[in-house]
Amino acid sequence: MTRYDLALIGFGGVNRALAELIVERGHDLTAELGFGLRVVAITDLRAGTLVRLDGIDLAPLLAAAELNFSGMAGGSPEPRNEWVIRDVPADIIAEATFTNPADGEPAVSHVRWALESGKHVCTTNKGPAALHGRALRELATRNGVRFEFEGAVMSGTPVLRTARRMFGGLTVSRVEGVMNGTSNYILGRLEKGMDLAAAVAEAQALGYAEADPTADVEGYDVQLKLMILANEVFGASLTRADIRCVGISGITGQDVRDAAGKGLRWKLVGSAARRPDGTVEAWVAPVALPDGHPLAGVSGLMNAVAFHTDLLGTVAVSGPGAGRTETAYALLSDIISIHERCGAKAAAMEGASRV
C-alpha cells in the first residue's frame, strides 16, 4: 500500500481540518483511494514546529485548547518553515499559511522551496498560482513533481480540475464567475435593505469578511482568482495589471433594490474572453444580471463559474467558495491528483520492473 508522508505548513483552520479528515476518515480514505496519509511535520506561527518521522499522533493536537510544540518530543518553539520544507523527508507539502496578496509571500517561497527540494506541493493560497504560476509549474516539471492549487479559486469546488479534465475537444470562448462569497453576501444584504457599511460590518461579525475588507469589497480577491482561472483555461500569462478591476464600494442599496424590481441581480463578476486575435482580455466589475443568467441565482457565500463553449453552450460549475472543511477537501483532492499522476505511475513502473 502506498503511503504519503505530509508536512503541514500552517496549522490554522484549513490544515487543521485536513488533519481532522485524516484522523476521522483515514481508514476509509485508504480503502477507497488506495493510499495512506501520515503527517510527519507541522509548523505554525504560534505553536512552533513539530517533527516526528514515525508519524505525529494528531488526535491529541486536535483536542488541545492551545498548542505549544516546544514542550513535545520533536518540538521547538520557532516555526521553522524553510528547514521543514527543504530538509524533513516528506513526500508532499500542504501549504496553508496567511499570505500577502500583493506579492504572494510567504506562500510563494514555501512552494518554491518544496519544488526545489523535489517534493510535491499543494496550496490553498492564491498568490503562488496567480502571481508566479508559470514559473512554479516549470520548476515543478524540471524536478519531476507536482504543483497543485485547486483550492485557490473556489475552495473545495473543483472548477480548475473540471476545466482541465472535462472540456477536452471543446473550445472555451469566455469564462465568467461569482468567485467571492463575501461580496456576494454583502450584495444580498443590500437587496434586503441594508446599507453598505452595515452589510460589511455584519459580514465581519459573522467571520465572512476580514477586519480590512478591501480585498473583498474592491474586487482584488476576484482579480487574483480570475488570473488563475484565465491562465489555466486559456493558457494566458495575465498579470494583475492586465485585469481591469472595479469593486462593489460604489454600489448603493438603492441601486440593488431598483435592479431587483426590474428582475436584475447585482453580482461582482470576474470575466475573461479570448479575442479574435487569440489574446485574452479580463476584467472584474459589478454587473446587474437578468434572472435567466446562470450566475444570477448564486446567493450568499456560494460561488459559481460559467464556461461558454462551442459545442455545449454554457456549462456552469457551482459550489461553496469558502469554509475550512471545504478548503481542506481541496488539499485532499490535490493529493489524490498527485497520486493519480505520479504515485500510481511509479507503482506500476516498479511492478513492471519486477516482472
Side-chain angles (χ1 to χ4, degrees):
M1 175 70 69
T2 300
R3 184 188 67 215
Y4 297 107
D5 285 346
L6 308 182
L8 309 184
I9 307 303
F11 203 57
V14 174
N15 265 342
R16 183 181 289 264
L18 178 61
E20 290 170 357
L21 287 175
I22 294 171
V23 169
E24 296 168 4
R25 301 184 59 189
H27 294 298
D28 292 340
L29 290 172
T30 298
E32 177 184 350
L33 301 173
F35 61 84
L37 297 174
R38 182 175 70 173
V39 175
V40 297
I42 301 172
T43 68
D44 183 75
L45 188 61
R46 291 182 291 273
T49 298
L50 181 62
V51 176
R52 292 291 302 271
L53 298 185
D54 58 345
I56 295 170
D57 185 359
L58 296 171
L61 302 185
L62 297 172
E66 186 173 344
L67 286 177
N68 184 347
F69 294 151
S70 62
M72 302 178 185
S76 60
E78 302 86 14
R80 303 176 66 189
N81 292 345
E82 184 172 6
W83 174 73
V84 166
I85 292 170
R86 289 190 182 277
D87 296 333
V88 171
D91 303 300
I92 300 172
I93 305 298
E95 203 284 337
T97 60
F98 178 80
T99 292
N100 184 338
D103 59 11
E105 292 294 354
V108 171
S109 291
H110 295 161
V111 172
R112 185 179 295 112
W113 295 337
L115 300 177
E116 289 172 346
S117 303
K119 296 170 183 174
H120 306 291
V121 60
C122 50
T123 183
T124 58
N125 276 304
K126 296 178 288 293
L131 303 176
H132 303 278
R134 174 165 292 187
L136 292 173
R137 284 194 297 272
E138 291 173 352
L139 178 60
T141 299
R142 288 198 300 273
N143 287 281
V145 291
R146 299 292 303 176
F147 168 40
E148 300 285 346
F149 45 88
E150 181 63 65
V153 176
M154 276 177 54
S155 185
T157 303
V159 64
L160 294 177
R161 209 153 277 131
T162 297
R164 290 181 192 135
R165 297 187 180 183
M166 305 303 291
F167 289 172
L170 298 175
T171 298
V172 178
S173 59
R174 183 161 55 98
V175 296
E176 53 185 347
V178 173
M179 296 179 285
N180 181 269
T182 302
S183 62
N184 202 41
Y185 177 85
I186 291 169
L187 289 171
R189 301 305 287 158
L190 296 186
E191 194 171 307
K192 298 297 183 182
M194 276 192 172
D195 63 27
L196 182 67
V200 170
E202 182 179 88
Q204 290 170 320
L206 292 170
Y208 302 155
E210 300 289 342
D212 180 358
T214 303
D216 296 320
V217 173
E218 298 301 340
Y220 305 138
D221 176 73
V222 177
Q223 185 184 45
L224 289 177
K225 292 174 178 177
L226 183 62
M227 284 172 60
I228 298 171
L229 185 62
N231 289 343
E232 286 291 305
V233 172
F234 296 119
S237 299
L238 298 178
T239 68
R240 294 187 73 172
D242 298 320
I243 301 178
R244 306 188 305 275
C245 186
V246 178
I248 64 170
S249 58
I251 304 296
T252 68
Q254 193 60 50
D255 292 333
V256 174
R257 292 186 290 275
D258 287 347
K262 300 173 184 176
L264 303 173
R265 307 290 298 278
W266 279 98
K267 302 292 177 185
L268 182 61
V269 179
S271 304
R274 191 182 295 280
R275 301 185 182 102
D277 65 0
T279 60
V280 175
E281 63 175 335
W283 62 98
V284 176
V287 183
L289 300 173
D291 279 339
H293 192 283
L295 301 180
V298 181
S299 61
L301 299 176
M302 295 294 284
N303 283 190
V305 171
F307 298 88
H308 299 270
T309 75
D310 57 342
L311 301 181
L312 295 181
T314 300
V315 178
V317 178
S318 66
R324 59 190 296 274
T325 300
E326 293 84 350
T327 309
Y329 172 74
L331 290 175
L332 178 60
S333 75
D334 285 341
I335 294 168
I336 294 169
S337 179
I338 289 168
H339 174 72
E340 291 174 346
R341 291 174 176 268
C342 300
K345 180 179 178 181
M349 293 176 62
E350 181 180 350
S353 68
R354 294 173 180 169
V355 176

